[in-house]
Every structure is written in C-alpha cells, then in structure tokens.
PDB file of all heavy atoms in Angstrom:
ATOM      1  N   SER V   1      40.581 -52.092  48.655  1.00 95.00           N
ATOM      2  CA  SER V   1      41.529 -52.508  47.619  1.00 95.00           C
ATOM      3  C   SER V   1      41.915 -53.970  47.787  1.00 95.00           C
ATOM      4  O   SER V   1      42.087 -54.695  46.802  1.00 95.00           O
ATOM      5  CB  SER V   1      42.776 -51.621  47.661  1.00 95.00           C
ATOM      6  OG  SER V   1      43.607 -51.925  48.777  1.00 95.00           O
ATOM      7  N   GLY V   2      42.045 -54.412  49.046  1.00 94.00           N
ATOM      8  CA  GLY V   2      42.330 -55.822  49.298  1.00 94.00           C
ATOM      9  C   GLY V   2      41.196 -56.713  48.847  1.00 94.00           C
ATOM     10  O   GLY V   2      41.413 -57.796  48.289  1.00 94.00           O
ATOM     11  N   SER V   3      39.962 -56.268  49.062  1.00 94.00           N
ATOM     12  CA  SER V   3      38.791 -57.035  48.628  1.00 94.00           C
ATOM     13  C   SER V   3      38.720 -57.103  47.106  1.00 94.00           C
ATOM     14  O   SER V   3      38.407 -58.149  46.531  1.00 94.00           O
ATOM     15  CB  SER V   3      37.509 -56.386  49.173  1.00 94.00           C
ATOM     16  OG  SER V   3      37.486 -56.390  50.577  1.00 94.00           O
ATOM     17  N   VAL V   4      39.018 -55.975  46.457  1.00 95.00           N
ATOM     18  CA  VAL V   4      39.002 -55.936  44.989  1.00 95.00           C
ATOM     19  C   VAL V   4      39.998 -56.942  44.415  1.00 95.00           C
ATOM     20  O   VAL V   4      39.688 -57.682  43.476  1.00 95.00           O
ATOM     21  CB  VAL V   4      39.330 -54.512  44.475  1.00 95.00           C
ATOM     22  CG1 VAL V   4      39.588 -54.526  42.974  1.00 95.00           C
ATOM     23  CG2 VAL V   4      38.194 -53.560  44.809  1.00 95.00           C
ATOM     24  N   PHE V   5      41.197 -56.983  44.992  1.00 96.00           N
ATOM     25  CA  PHE V   5      42.215 -57.916  44.492  1.00 96.00           C
ATOM     26  C   PHE V   5      41.748 -59.360  44.663  1.00 96.00           C
ATOM     27  O   PHE V   5      41.877 -60.182  43.748  1.00 96.00           O
ATOM     28  CB  PHE V   5      43.535 -57.707  45.228  1.00 96.00           C
ATOM     29  CG  PHE V   5      44.663 -58.540  44.669  1.00 96.00           C
ATOM     30  CD1 PHE V   5      45.487 -58.037  43.678  1.00 96.00           C
ATOM     31  CD2 PHE V   5      44.879 -59.836  45.121  1.00 96.00           C
ATOM     32  CE1 PHE V   5      46.511 -58.813  43.142  1.00 96.00           C
ATOM     33  CE2 PHE V   5      45.899 -60.619  44.591  1.00 96.00           C
ATOM     34  CZ  PHE V   5      46.717 -60.103  43.604  1.00 96.00           C
ATOM     35  N   ILE V   6      41.203 -59.686  45.833  1.00 95.00           N
ATOM     36  CA  ILE V   6      40.745 -61.056  46.081  1.00 95.00           C
ATOM     37  C   ILE V   6      39.669 -61.459  45.087  1.00 95.00           C
ATOM     38  O   ILE V   6      39.677 -62.572  44.548  1.00 95.00           O
ATOM     39  CB  ILE V   6      40.226 -61.188  47.532  1.00 95.00           C
ATOM     40  CG1 ILE V   6      41.396 -61.106  48.521  1.00 95.00           C
ATOM     41  CG2 ILE V   6      39.474 -62.506  47.733  1.00 95.00           C
ATOM     42  CD1 ILE V   6      40.977 -61.051  49.976  1.00 95.00           C
ATOM     43  N   ALA V   7      38.734 -60.555  44.812  1.00 95.00           N
ATOM     44  CA  ALA V   7      37.607 -60.878  43.929  1.00 95.00           C
ATOM     45  C   ALA V   7      38.006 -60.976  42.461  1.00 95.00           C
ATOM     46  O   ALA V   7      37.465 -61.802  41.719  1.00 95.00           O
ATOM     47  CB  ALA V   7      36.500 -59.839  44.106  1.00 95.00           C
ATOM     48  N   LEU V   8      38.979 -60.159  42.028  1.00 95.00           N
ATOM     49  CA  LEU V   8      39.302 -60.072  40.607  1.00 95.00           C
ATOM     50  C   LEU V   8      40.513 -60.883  40.177  1.00 95.00           C
ATOM     51  O   LEU V   8      40.651 -61.208  38.993  1.00 95.00           O
ATOM     52  CB  LEU V   8      39.519 -58.611  40.209  1.00 95.00           C
ATOM     53  CG  LEU V   8      38.343 -57.654  40.370  1.00 95.00           C
ATOM     54  CD1 LEU V   8      38.701 -56.283  39.806  1.00 95.00           C
ATOM     55  CD2 LEU V   8      37.088 -58.198  39.693  1.00 95.00           C
ATOM     56  N   PHE V   9      41.404 -61.227  41.096  1.00 95.00           N
ATOM     57  CA  PHE V   9      42.640 -61.916  40.718  1.00 95.00           C
ATOM     58  C   PHE V   9      42.408 -63.224  39.956  1.00 95.00           C
ATOM     59  O   PHE V   9      43.083 -63.461  38.935  1.00 95.00           O
ATOM     60  CB  PHE V   9      43.508 -62.175  41.960  1.00 95.00           C
ATOM     61  CG  PHE V   9      44.757 -62.949  41.658  1.00 95.00           C
ATOM     62  CD1 PHE V   9      45.835 -62.327  41.040  1.00 95.00           C
ATOM     63  CD2 PHE V   9      44.862 -64.296  41.975  1.00 95.00           C
ATOM     64  CE1 PHE V   9      47.002 -63.034  40.757  1.00 95.00           C
ATOM     65  CE2 PHE V   9      46.007 -65.016  41.688  1.00 95.00           C
ATOM     66  CZ  PHE V   9      47.090 -64.379  41.076  1.00 95.00           C
ATOM     67  N   PRO V  10      41.489 -64.101  40.388  1.00 92.00           N
ATOM     68  CA  PRO V  10      41.292 -65.355  39.631  1.00 92.00           C
ATOM     69  C   PRO V  10      40.891 -65.108  38.181  1.00 92.00           C
ATOM     70  O   PRO V  10      41.372 -65.803  37.276  1.00 92.00           O
ATOM     71  CB  PRO V  10      40.166 -66.058  40.411  1.00 92.00           C
ATOM     72  CG  PRO V  10      40.234 -65.484  41.771  1.00 92.00           C
ATOM     73  CD  PRO V  10      40.642 -64.060  41.586  1.00 92.00           C
ATOM     74  N   PHE V  11      40.025 -64.132  37.958  1.00 92.00           N
ATOM     75  CA  PHE V  11      39.602 -63.820  36.592  1.00 92.00           C
ATOM     76  C   PHE V  11      40.756 -63.259  35.763  1.00 92.00           C
ATOM     77  O   PHE V  11      40.960 -63.663  34.609  1.00 92.00           O
ATOM     78  CB  PHE V  11      38.448 -62.815  36.631  1.00 92.00           C
ATOM     79  CG  PHE V  11      38.050 -62.294  35.285  1.00 92.00           C
ATOM     80  CD1 PHE V  11      37.402 -63.110  34.370  1.00 92.00           C
ATOM     81  CD2 PHE V  11      38.333 -60.983  34.923  1.00 92.00           C
ATOM     82  CE1 PHE V  11      37.033 -62.632  33.117  1.00 92.00           C
ATOM     83  CE2 PHE V  11      37.972 -60.492  33.673  1.00 92.00           C
ATOM     84  CZ  PHE V  11      37.326 -61.331  32.773  1.00 92.00           C
ATOM     85  N   VAL V  12      41.528 -62.345  36.350  1.00 92.00           N
ATOM     86  CA  VAL V  12      42.674 -61.764  35.639  1.00 92.00           C
ATOM     87  C   VAL V  12      43.693 -62.845  35.307  1.00 92.00           C
ATOM     88  O   VAL V  12      44.255 -62.873  34.201  1.00 92.00           O
ATOM     89  CB  VAL V  12      43.321 -60.651  36.490  1.00 92.00           C
ATOM     90  CG1 VAL V  12      44.606 -60.149  35.829  1.00 92.00           C
ATOM     91  CG2 VAL V  12      42.349 -59.490  36.686  1.00 92.00           C
ATOM     92  N   LEU V  13      43.918 -63.758  36.242  1.00 90.00           N
ATOM     93  CA  LEU V  13      44.853 -64.862  36.004  1.00 90.00           C
ATOM     94  C   LEU V  13      44.363 -65.755  34.872  1.00 90.00           C
ATOM     95  O   LEU V  13      45.137 -66.145  33.991  1.00 90.00           O
ATOM     96  CB  LEU V  13      45.032 -65.690  37.279  1.00 90.00           C
ATOM     97  CG  LEU V  13      46.074 -66.803  37.198  1.00 90.00           C
ATOM     98  CD1 LEU V  13      47.482 -66.228  37.250  1.00 90.00           C
ATOM     99  CD2 LEU V  13      45.882 -67.811  38.325  1.00 90.00           C
ATOM    100  N   ALA V  14      43.077 -66.075  34.890  1.00 87.00           N
ATOM    101  CA  ALA V  14      42.513 -66.926  33.838  1.00 87.00           C
ATOM    102  C   ALA V  14      42.603 -66.258  32.476  1.00 87.00           C
ATOM    103  O   ALA V  14      42.870 -66.920  31.464  1.00 87.00           O
ATOM    104  CB  ALA V  14      41.054 -67.263  34.170  1.00 87.00           C
ATOM    105  N   MET V  15      42.401 -64.962  32.437  1.00 86.00           N
ATOM    106  CA  MET V  15      42.497 -64.216  31.182  1.00 86.00           C
ATOM    107  C   MET V  15      43.938 -64.177  30.668  1.00 86.00           C
ATOM    108  O   MET V  15      44.185 -64.260  29.463  1.00 86.00           O
ATOM    109  CB  MET V  15      42.001 -62.784  31.385  1.00 86.00           C
ATOM    110  CG  MET V  15      40.499 -62.663  31.559  1.00 86.00           C
ATOM    111  SD  MET V  15      39.632 -62.760  29.975  1.00 86.00           S
ATOM    112  CE  MET V  15      40.119 -61.194  29.239  1.00 86.00           C
ATOM    113  N   SER V  16      44.890 -64.064  31.595  1.00 85.00           N
ATOM    114  CA  SER V  16      46.294 -63.898  31.213  1.00 85.00           C
ATOM    115  C   SER V  16      46.974 -65.205  30.831  1.00 85.00           C
ATOM    116  O   SER V  16      47.901 -65.221  30.026  1.00 85.00           O
ATOM    117  CB  SER V  16      47.067 -63.222  32.362  1.00 85.00           C
ATOM    118  OG  SER V  16      46.479 -61.993  32.718  1.00 85.00           O
ATOM    119  N   PHE V  17      46.540 -66.324  31.434  1.00 83.00           N
ATOM    120  CA  PHE V  17      47.202 -67.613  31.196  1.00 83.00           C
ATOM    121  C   PHE V  17      46.190 -68.657  30.739  1.00 83.00           C
ATOM    122  O   PHE V  17      46.161 -69.787  31.239  1.00 83.00           O
ATOM    123  CB  PHE V  17      47.912 -68.076  32.471  1.00 83.00           C
ATOM    124  CG  PHE V  17      48.971 -67.132  32.948  1.00 83.00           C
ATOM    125  CD1 PHE V  17      48.675 -66.158  33.904  1.00 83.00           C
ATOM    126  CD2 PHE V  17      50.258 -67.177  32.440  1.00 83.00           C
ATOM    127  CE1 PHE V  17      49.653 -65.274  34.350  1.00 83.00           C
ATOM    128  CE2 PHE V  17      51.237 -66.300  32.880  1.00 83.00           C
ATOM    129  CZ  PHE V  17      50.939 -65.340  33.831  1.00 83.00           C
ATOM    130  N   GLN V  18      45.355 -68.295  29.802  1.00 77.00           N
ATOM    131  CA  GLN V  18      44.251 -69.154  29.388  1.00 77.00           C
ATOM    132  C   GLN V  18      44.699 -70.459  28.738  1.00 77.00           C
ATOM    133  O   GLN V  18      43.956 -71.440  28.745  1.00 77.00           O
ATOM    134  CB  GLN V  18      43.334 -68.386  28.435  1.00 77.00           C
ATOM    135  CG  GLN V  18      44.048 -67.747  27.264  1.00 77.00           C
ATOM    136  CD  GLN V  18      43.134 -66.882  26.433  1.00 77.00           C
ATOM    137  OE1 GLN V  18      42.065 -67.318  26.046  1.00 77.00           O
ATOM    138  NE2 GLN V  18      43.526 -65.643  26.167  1.00 77.00           N
ATOM    139  N   GLU V  19      45.903 -70.505  28.173  1.00 75.00           N
ATOM    140  CA  GLU V  19      46.358 -71.702  27.473  1.00 75.00           C
ATOM    141  C   GLU V  19      47.094 -72.678  28.386  1.00 75.00           C
ATOM    142  O   GLU V  19      47.511 -73.741  27.943  1.00 75.00           O
ATOM    143  CB  GLU V  19      47.272 -71.314  26.302  1.00 75.00           C
ATOM    144  CG  GLU V  19      46.614 -70.406  25.273  1.00 75.00           C
ATOM    145  CD  GLU V  19      45.396 -71.035  24.623  1.00 75.00           C
ATOM    146  OE1 GLU V  19      45.379 -72.280  24.490  1.00 75.00           O
ATOM    147  OE2 GLU V  19      44.459 -70.302  24.261  1.00 75.00           O
ATOM    148  N   THR V  20      47.283 -72.340  29.643  1.00 84.00           N
ATOM    149  CA  THR V  20      48.056 -73.205  30.541  1.00 84.00           C
ATOM    150  C   THR V  20      47.229 -74.395  31.004  1.00 84.00           C
ATOM    151  O   THR V  20      45.996 -74.387  30.965  1.00 84.00           O
ATOM    152  CB  THR V  20      48.528 -72.414  31.778  1.00 84.00           C
ATOM    153  OG1 THR V  20      47.377 -71.934  32.497  1.00 84.00           O
ATOM    154  CG2 THR V  20      49.397 -71.232  31.372  1.00 84.00           C
ATOM    155  N   GLU V  21      47.949 -75.422  31.466  1.00 84.00           N
ATOM    156  CA  GLU V  21      47.293 -76.646  31.944  1.00 84.00           C
ATOM    157  C   GLU V  21      46.454 -76.368  33.181  1.00 84.00           C
ATOM    158  O   GLU V  21      45.395 -76.969  33.376  1.00 84.00           O
ATOM    159  CB  GLU V  21      48.354 -77.705  32.253  1.00 84.00           C
ATOM    160  CG  GLU V  21      47.777 -79.039  32.726  1.00 84.00           C
ATOM    161  CD  GLU V  21      48.849 -80.060  33.031  1.00 84.00           C
ATOM    162  OE1 GLU V  21      49.988 -79.905  32.526  1.00 84.00           O
ATOM    163  OE2 GLU V  21      48.554 -81.014  33.777  1.00 84.00           O
ATOM    164  N   PHE V  22      46.920 -75.436  34.028  1.00 86.00           N
ATOM    165  CA  PHE V  22      46.179 -75.129  35.248  1.00 86.00           C
ATOM    166  C   PHE V  22      44.784 -74.605  34.928  1.00 86.00           C
ATOM    167  O   PHE V  22      43.796 -75.003  35.553  1.00 86.00           O
ATOM    168  CB  PHE V  22      46.942 -74.103  36.090  1.00 86.00           C
ATOM    169  CG  PHE V  22      46.185 -73.634  37.304  1.00 86.00           C
ATOM    170  CD1 PHE V  22      46.015 -74.467  38.403  1.00 86.00           C
ATOM    171  CD2 PHE V  22      45.617 -72.367  37.341  1.00 86.00           C
ATOM    172  CE1 PHE V  22      45.298 -74.042  39.519  1.00 86.00           C
ATOM    173  CE2 PHE V  22      44.904 -71.934  38.446  1.00 86.00           C
ATOM    174  CZ  PHE V  22      44.747 -72.778  39.537  1.00 86.00           C
ATOM    175  N   ILE V  23      44.699 -73.702  33.956  1.00 86.00           N
ATOM    176  CA  ILE V  23      43.399 -73.120  33.599  1.00 86.00           C
ATOM    177  C   ILE V  23      42.523 -74.144  32.893  1.00 86.00           C
ATOM    178  O   ILE V  23      41.359 -74.360  33.279  1.00 86.00           O
ATOM    179  CB  ILE V  23      43.582 -71.871  32.706  1.00 86.00           C
ATOM    180  CG1 ILE V  23      44.459 -70.821  33.402  1.00 86.00           C
ATOM    181  CG2 ILE V  23      42.215 -71.281  32.349  1.00 86.00           C
ATOM    182  CD1 ILE V  23      43.909 -70.311  34.699  1.00 86.00           C
ATOM    183  N   SER V  24      43.055 -74.794  31.869  1.00 83.00           N
ATOM    184  CA  SER V  24      42.245 -75.689  31.043  1.00 83.00           C
ATOM    185  C   SER V  24      41.898 -76.999  31.739  1.00 83.00           C
ATOM    186  O   SER V  24      40.786 -77.520  31.579  1.00 83.00           O
ATOM    187  CB  SER V  24      42.965 -75.987  29.722  1.00 83.00           C
ATOM    188  OG  SER V  24      44.201 -76.621  29.972  1.00 83.00           O
ATOM    189  N   GLU V  25      42.841 -77.530  32.534  1.00 85.00           N
ATOM    190  CA  GLU V  25      42.607 -78.826  33.182  1.00 85.00           C
ATOM    191  C   GLU V  25      42.072 -78.670  34.607  1.00 85.00           C
ATOM    192  O   GLU V  25      40.979 -79.114  34.940  1.00 85.00           O
ATOM    193  CB  GLU V  25      43.900 -79.655  33.186  1.00 85.00           C
ATOM    194  CG  GLU V  25      44.373 -80.066  31.805  1.00 85.00           C
ATOM    195  CD  GLU V  25      43.401 -81.006  31.119  1.00 85.00           C
ATOM    196  OE1 GLU V  25      42.757 -81.817  31.831  1.00 85.00           O
ATOM    197  OE2 GLU V  25      43.262 -80.927  29.886  1.00 85.00           O
ATOM    198  N   THR V  26      42.874 -78.033  35.462  1.00 85.00           N
ATOM    199  CA  THR V  26      42.511 -77.943  36.886  1.00 85.00           C
ATOM    200  C   THR V  26      41.220 -77.152  37.101  1.00 85.00           C
ATOM    201  O   THR V  26      40.296 -77.629  37.766  1.00 85.00           O
ATOM    202  CB  THR V  26      43.652 -77.304  37.690  1.00 85.00           C
ATOM    203  OG1 THR V  26      44.844 -78.064  37.504  1.00 85.00           O
ATOM    204  CG2 THR V  26      43.302 -77.283  39.180  1.00 85.00           C
ATOM    205  N   LEU V  27      41.165 -75.946  36.549  1.00 86.00           N
ATOM    206  CA  LEU V  27      40.001 -75.098  36.796  1.00 86.00           C
ATOM    207  C   LEU V  27      38.776 -75.529  36.002  1.00 86.00           C
ATOM    208  O   LEU V  27      37.673 -75.612  36.558  1.00 86.00           O
ATOM    209  CB  LEU V  27      40.330 -73.640  36.480  1.00 86.00           C
ATOM    210  CG  LEU V  27      41.351 -72.934  37.381  1.00 86.00           C
ATOM    211  CD1 LEU V  27      41.384 -71.437  37.081  1.00 86.00           C
ATOM    212  CD2 LEU V  27      41.055 -73.171  38.853  1.00 86.00           C
ATOM    213  N   VAL V  28      38.944 -75.818  34.702  1.00 85.00           N
ATOM    214  CA  VAL V  28      37.786 -76.102  33.842  1.00 85.00           C
ATOM    215  C   VAL V  28      37.404 -77.577  33.877  1.00 85.00           C
ATOM    216  O   VAL V  28      36.300 -77.936  34.294  1.00 85.00           O
ATOM    217  CB  VAL V  28      38.062 -75.654  32.392  1.00 85.00           C
ATOM    218  CG1 VAL V  28      36.860 -75.984  31.510  1.00 85.00           C
ATOM    219  CG2 VAL V  28      38.352 -74.157  32.345  1.00 85.00           C
ATOM    220  N   THR V  29      38.315 -78.454  33.447  1.00 84.00           N
ATOM    221  CA  THR V  29      37.995 -79.883  33.334  1.00 84.00           C
ATOM    222  C   THR V  29      37.687 -80.511  34.690  1.00 84.00           C
ATOM    223  O   THR V  29      36.688 -81.216  34.852  1.00 84.00           O
ATOM    224  CB  THR V  29      39.152 -80.645  32.657  1.00 84.00           C
ATOM    225  OG1 THR V  29      39.434 -80.056  31.392  1.00 84.00           O
ATOM    226  CG2 THR V  29      38.781 -82.107  32.467  1.00 84.00           C
ATOM    227  N   GLU V  30      38.554 -80.263  35.688  1.00 85.00           N
ATOM    228  CA  GLU V  30      38.346 -80.839  37.016  1.00 85.00           C
ATOM    229  C   GLU V  30      37.321 -80.049  37.832  1.00 85.00           C
ATOM    230  O   GLU V  30      36.894 -80.508  38.897  1.00 85.00           O
ATOM    231  CB  GLU V  30      39.667 -80.921  37.774  1.00 85.00           C
ATOM    232  CG  GLU V  30      40.692 -81.853  37.127  1.00 85.00           C
ATOM    233  CD  GLU V  30      41.987 -81.913  37.915  1.00 85.00           C
ATOM    234  OE1 GLU V  30      41.928 -81.821  39.165  1.00 85.00           O
ATOM    235  OE2 GLU V  30      43.054 -82.048  37.300  1.00 85.00           O
ATOM    236  N   GLY V  31      36.950 -78.877  37.357  1.00 85.00           N
ATOM    237  CA  GLY V  31      35.892 -78.103  38.013  1.00 85.00           C
ATOM    238  C   GLY V  31      36.316 -77.317  39.229  1.00 85.00           C
ATOM    239  O   GLY V  31      35.463 -76.846  40.001  1.00 85.00           O
ATOM    240  N   TYR V  32      37.633 -77.125  39.411  1.00 89.00           N
ATOM    241  CA  TYR V  32      38.090 -76.414  40.605  1.00 89.00           C
ATOM    242  C   TYR V  32      37.721 -74.926  40.588  1.00 89.00           C
ATOM    243  O   TYR V  32      37.804 -74.256  41.624  1.00 89.00           O
ATOM    244  CB  TYR V  32      39.605 -76.573  40.777  1.00 89.00           C
ATOM    245  CG  TYR V  32      39.970 -77.733  41.683  1.00 89.00           C
ATOM    246  CD1 TYR V  32      40.098 -79.020  41.178  1.00 89.00           C
ATOM    247  CD2 TYR V  32      40.164 -77.541  43.040  1.00 89.00           C
ATOM    248  CE1 TYR V  32      40.423 -80.090  41.990  1.00 89.00           C
ATOM    249  CE2 TYR V  32      40.480 -78.593  43.874  1.00 89.00           C
ATOM    250  CZ  TYR V  32      40.616 -79.869  43.348  1.00 89.00           C
ATOM    251  OH  TYR V  32      40.931 -80.924  44.168  1.00 89.00           O
ATOM    252  N   TRP V  33      37.323 -74.405  39.438  1.00 91.00           N
ATOM    253  CA  TRP V  33      36.921 -72.999  39.410  1.00 91.00           C
ATOM    254  C   TRP V  33      35.707 -72.761  40.301  1.00 91.00           C
ATOM    255  O   TRP V  33      35.521 -71.650  40.826  1.00 91.00           O
ATOM    256  CB  TRP V  33      36.639 -72.552  37.972  1.00 91.00           C
ATOM    257  CG  TRP V  33      35.287 -72.939  37.460  1.00 91.00           C
ATOM    258  CD1 TRP V  33      34.946 -74.075  36.800  1.00 91.00           C
ATOM    259  CD2 TRP V  33      34.085 -72.172  37.577  1.00 91.00           C
ATOM    260  NE1 TRP V  33      33.605 -74.080  36.489  1.00 91.00           N
ATOM    261  CE2 TRP V  33      33.051 -72.913  36.955  1.00 91.00           C
ATOM    262  CE3 TRP V  33      33.780 -70.924  38.130  1.00 91.00           C
ATOM    263  CZ2 TRP V  33      31.740 -72.464  36.895  1.00 91.00           C
ATOM    264  CZ3 TRP V  33      32.471 -70.476  38.068  1.00 91.00           C
ATOM    265  CH2 TRP V  33      31.466 -71.240  37.457  1.00 91.00           C
ATOM    266  N   ARG V  34      34.909 -73.809  40.497  1.00 92.00           N
ATOM    267  CA  ARG V  34      33.740 -73.670  41.377  1.00 92.00           C
ATOM    268  C   ARG V  34      34.139 -73.556  42.857  1.00 92.00           C
ATOM    269  O   ARG V  34      33.314 -73.197  43.701  1.00 92.00           O
ATOM    270  CB  ARG V  34      32.786 -74.852  41.178  1.00 92.00           C
ATOM    271  CG  ARG V  34      32.174 -74.904  39.786  1.00 92.00           C
ATOM    272  CD  ARG V  34      31.116 -75.988  39.672  1.00 92.00           C
ATOM    273  NE  ARG V  34      30.606 -76.089  38.305  1.00 92.00           N
ATOM    274  CZ  ARG V  34      29.642 -75.319  37.807  1.00 92.00           C
ATOM    275  NH1 ARG V  34      29.075 -74.406  38.581  1.00 92.00           N
ATOM    276  NH2 ARG V  34      29.238 -75.464  36.555  1.00 92.00           N
TER     277      ARG V  34
END
C-alpha cells in the first residue's frame, strides 16, 4: 500500500490540481515531472 501511494500520488495530484502554477509551470514547463 505504501508503494502504491508513492507511485500514484503524483498522477492523482496532477489530475486534481491541473490548473495550478505548480503543475503547469514547475512540472510541465520546467520539466520537473521527469
């Protein structure tokens, strides 16, 4: 269950807060999602 949370949390967060600056700028534009 701990492994499942670690693997899925970033995706769930991105889905839930897709319009935020963190998702659009930090993760996508700056490439931190990699």
Side-chain angles (χ1 to χ4, degrees):
S1 74
S3 298
V4 169
F5 186 91
I6 290 173
L8 298 185
F9 177 76
F11 173 71
V12 174
L13 185 75
M15 288 281 290
S16 304
F17 299 94
Q18 52 186 310
E19 301 300 329
T20 61
E21 181 180 339
F22 175 73
I23 303 299
S24 61
E25 294 295 327
T26 303
L27 293 190
V28 179
T29 304
E30 296 180 34
Y32 266 86
W33 81 269
R34 295 187 184 276

